[in-house]
Amino acid sequence: MSLMEKLTADMKDAMKQGEKERLSVIRLVRGAVRQAEIDGKKTLNDDEIIGVITKEVKMRRDSIEEFERGGRADLVDKTKAEIDILMPYLPAQLSADEVKKIVEEAVAEVGAATAKDMGKVMGVLMPRVKGRADGKLVNEIVRSLLK
């Protein structure tokens, strides 16, 4: 079963169960996938759909930071619930230690020594962790190792 088929099946299930929040989030993601297909003029494969879902999760994490600064605990809770709905569609997330190990391997492979080599490291690294780690976390670990 492809990821889009799973999203569709889960959407139908959420409708039958009366889970309005889950239904809303799945519909938003399906809409984002359809928009990406229209923009790219092609049907997305599972990896590309994971990229869209990752982008949606990242947008929500950024929103949480803004809501916390604004003192909107109600929106923080709602947005965290949306992230919890989306996470099962992503591959298992890597821990910070696992990301650090992969970063160290990439740094050694590229032969990076300074912060100027960050672009080379990120170019090698991002395909390895795509969808499995937050880009912000990866960036922070690379920066800390290249200082």
Side-chain angles (χ1 to χ4, degrees), residues 36-47:
E37 289 177 339
I38 290 168
D39 292 346
K41 297 180 180 156
K42 66 175 188 149
T43 302
L44 300 182
N45 62 33
D46 281 355
D47 287 339

Side-chain angles (χ1 to χ4, degrees), residues 14-48:
M15 274 190 247
K16 290 177 184 174
Q17 301 297 323
E19 299 171 338
K20 292 181 181 178
E21 184 66 31
R22 184 169 165 237
L23 176 61
S24 173
V25 172
I26 293 172
R27 279 184 172 157
L28 283 171
V29 169
R30 289 185 74 238
V33 169
R34 271 194 243 120
Q35 186 61 48
E37 289 177 339
I38 290 168
D39 292 346
K41 297 180 180 156
K42 66 175 188 149
T43 302
L44 300 182
N45 62 33
D46 281 355
D47 287 339
E48 293 165 327

